[in-house]
Structures are given as structure tokens and as C-alpha cells.
Amino acid sequence: MADAGGPATIKAFEERLLEVSESLPKRLRQCADYVAANKDRIAVSTVAEMAEGAGVQPSAFMRFCQIMGFSGFSEMQRLFRETFVGGWPDYSTRLHHLREKAEDSPTALLAEFVEAGRASLESLLKTVDPHHLEAAVATLSKANMIHIIGLRRSFPVASYMSYAFEKMDVPAMLHSAVGRLDNRNAIRDGDVVLAITFSPYSVETIELVEAVSARGIPVVALTDTVVSPLRKFDAITLSVSEVDFGAFRSLSATLCLAITLSVAVGTARSG
Amino acid sequence: MADAGGPATIKAFEERLLEVSESLPKRLRQCADYVAANKDRIAVSTVAEMAEGAGVQPSAFMRFCQIMGFSGFSEMQRLFRETFVGGWPDYSTRLHHLREKAEDSPTALLAEFVEAGRASLESLLKTVDPHHLEAAVATLSKANMIHIIGLRRSFPVASYMSYAFEKMDVPAMLHSAVGRLDNRNAIRDGDVVLAITFSPYSVETIELVEAVSARGIPVVALTDTVVSPLRKFDAITLSVSEVDFGAFRSLSATLCLAITLSVAVGTARSG
DNA sequence: TATAAAATGGAATTTATAGTCCATTATGGT
DNA sequence: ACCATAATGGACTATAAATTCCATTTTATA
């Protein structure tokens, strides 16, 4: 018990957390992880709440506090309560502050993108047609193989879905057009193409869709507006209007739709 | 007690406070004044502490809470505590219902992910340390070449940043570890490594960081919590706590930070 | 595989805190 | 100046939360 008082600052707390978290049994590690990801909650929660969040018993959480060097939860909580008096206003005031006060600092920029992302997410629920979404899920669920194509700015979305499908044992293939290779011969009857493209639309993607569409292969499209060139082919279209800030588009809403599709298809298949 | 439930938002709370404070006896007015000046303390204080701060008896403060329309102090405090944590309530239980939701209707699932994304974005503003962000931008701006590494679930983020940098003429290279190739020899003095990894952390990424860190190459890390293994090397760490659905992570917040970094670095270079 | 040690879950206990009540003091009107 | 009414302070009680303890399960070791 050389450690009379636990960490006295948040920084010391984090160091101790890191140092300790290497060698921790299962439950206590859960505590460490949850705490690391939710430091702000400590100040305003009860042990019971923290324990539930971490998925452990209150007593386990207590033990964790002691390992961190505190006498108990209360003492740990005190550290966080004290350091954050004078602390944080709510989201909107904070945002306002950042925008005005810290003009053209990276943090102000972050605030702008966060706001753009939020706006995009909000409009997502409005722009996505539930029937189209259901149709897309149904089509993808029946596919023997899902061929994902998305290049340039859409590539992150395509690779994301590819990863998600793999994790859920949904047969999917990412067409990356590396070295101008064009694997369209891999696409066979019973397969489905999932095309992702946003303005300015990659010709490769459009060409691929055109080709397979002519062969009667179903196409599900993730695109932006109603004027997307993919509309011409009878694809099931899900449109996302992303609020962009400057020339750059944060893909918040698009990825949100992507994960939804992935999970929906994954469960539909296994169910 | 015509007023069954008190104010439900901070805004409503402020309005009620203003409306009420006109006609208040001495002690209760003290409460009102103190609360107005110390709203943030409500979440982390006891009645006794608040009363002392306002210079009144606890019982007087209790009466004040009731006049504000709450049943007591606890109810008033709950309002502040909830708005603090932004209320992404126990996801462990939500996760259980995720499958049912997915089968139920994809739209419900979408709503769930939208909500998760919004919560993640809000907390992003809290978790990102402005100083670290500035340091990261400064370091990346001075790099001769930015080496981006991010595998598996982090790969979409890595490829996104790679694309963004390219568009802004920032010299950057995406290390994809295709075919187990390891291009670490391409990393030279004056370069900077941008590592992106989330739990469970890819060993390849950690190994790379370890290797270059030993050579004195600066590392900027995008990771999740403070217990990330990247902390051990002295990297400039930006942590994003994203809501996880089991193996699935909606990358809304992460991408938001990614685009911010990209644009900030891009402008810093050209400016 | 048997045994000891560590970790865990849950109930019991203790402590702290919110909330109530009433006697006392201040205030405003006649 | 007196009375009626409202406001206040402080002690008391109920409640909810933190903490501890121990029986049970799990894990590591010989």
C-alpha cells in the first residue's frame, strides 16, 4: 500500500490505466475498456450504471477502482468531478463557441464537419425510401455472390461493405479495378452487383453497370441524387444526399446506410 | 402541483428559470442566481454543495427545485446528467434487439444506426483534444511524405484519407499490406506515419509503428481509446470513441475526424 | 487430472444523500 | 403596532448508493 492516494490528475489516471490494462483478467479489462471509452461518464454516473455499461457486476467495478489506486468508486469519481467543474456546456453552445471563437483552427474545422455530418444523417432518414431499402435488402439476400464496385471517393464505402460482408459470411467480392483489370467475367447469373458512385461518377462503374444490366443481372445502387446516371438502368437505387462542406464530402451518412445494408443482408441470410 | 414533469431540455430549463426568477423571495433568488451562473455544476454536485454555493440551506434549495417544476433535486439533476453524456444509453441491450430490428424492417435498423452516428459525432467534439489535433496537423504538414497505414476495419478510413490527400496534392502513400508486402523501407527521414487502428488492433499496424517509432519517425495515430497499444510509442494520438455494434462500427465519427485532418493538412500546406 | 490460487457474482451492510416536516423568524397589510 | 401569511432553518426520516464479504466458479499449475 505504498499508493496512499490514487492518480491526482486525469493525465495520471490515463497513464495508470494504460499501465494497468496490460495484465488484467477478463472482467476487469472490460471495466478498463469501458472507462477508457467513457471517461466523461464517470463524473455523472453511479457504480451500478458504470458496471452495467461495462457489462460487469458492481463489485467487479469496485475492484477495478481499487486497482487503479483509489479507495473506491467515490474517490475516483471525485477526481473527475473536480477536474471538470467549469467544464462543458451542451453540444449546441459548444459548437457555437468553436465555430466563432477558434476560427480557422483545426478544431473549428472539426466542428464544421461534425455539423455537416449530423445534418447529413438527419436527412438520410428522409431521403431513403423504405421500399427501396427493403427491395435492396431482399435482392442482395438472394444473391449467390455480391459484386461490389465503388471507385475513387466511393472506394472507402465499397471496401467497408466488403469487410462487413466477409465478417458475416456473406459471399461478396470487391471489384477494385486494380491495374485496369476488369473482372466482369466473374459475374454470373444469380449474382447481384452493388454499385456505389457519386458525382462525378466514375465511368468504370457506370460501364460495368451498363454491361451487367444488359445481361439481366440485378443491380443495387448507392448514389447521390435522383439525376445519377445509374437511374437509366433499372437498378434499385438508394440515394444519399450528403451535406458537403467546401469541396469535401464527409461520408457519414453514406457509411451509415452502408452498415445498415450490410447488417440487414447479413441477418436476412442467416435467419 | 399542476406541473407534473419539469423542463425536459436545458433550453426549457433556462426559460423557466428566467420566467420564475422575477418574483422570488430572497433565498430562492440566491438559488436562481447561483444556478444560472453554475449550470454545469448541477450534474456533479449534491444538494448540500449547491446550497452552500448559493449560500442557503439545503431545504431552501430543494424548494427551489420544486418551484422549477421538478419533483426534487434528483429529477433536476437527471436532466443535466443526461444531456451531459449525450445519452447513448446502454448499447449492450440494444445490440440484442438489433437482429430482431433487422428482421423487422431495415428502416428501423437504419434509424438505429443514424442515432448511433449522431451520438458518435457529438462525443467526437468532446473526446478530441484540440492541442493534439493541432499538433497532428502541424506534424503532418511538415512531412515530406505521409505514409498511411490502416488495415481491416480501418482500411476504409485509410483509403479515404489517401484519396483526400491526393486530391489536395499532399504527397501520401497508402500502405495496404497487399500480399503481405511490407513497404516499410519506403519510409525515410522527414516522413511521417499516419496509423489508423481500432480494437482489435491489427498486429501489422502496431509492428510498423513500433519499427518506425524506434527510428525516430514521427507517428500520428487515429485510434479508439486511451488504452490503445499505440499509446506506448510516443505518437500523437487522436482518439475517437465510436459506438460499436459487436463487430460493426459505424465509422461516422472517425471519417469526420479523417476529413478534418485531411483538409486541415491540405490547407496548411498550400497556405 | 487434482489442487491451489485467482477471479467472479450476488447478497448483506454501511454510509451518504435526498427529501420531509415543523417550529421559528421575517414580511406586508390594516 | 398587531395580525396573518409567507419564508426560512434545522432536525429528522426515507431512500438510494457505495462498499464489503463470502460462497461459487473459473483458471492456472503441478
Side-chain angles (χ1 to χ4, degrees), chain B residues 186-199:
Chain B
I187 304 172
R188 311 163 77 171
D189 287 349
D191 292 0
V192 174
V193 167
L194 171 57
I196 308 158
T197 187
F198 302 105
S199 165

Side-chain angles (χ1 to χ4, degrees), chain A residues 27 57 59 63:
Chain A
R27 289 286 116 103
Q57 289 287 329
S59 54
R63 257 174 276 130

Side-chain angles (χ1 to χ4, degrees), chain B residues 26-27 57 59 63:
Chain B
K26 197 168 150 209
R27 290 288 121 102
Q57 288 288 328
S59 54
R63 257 173 277 131

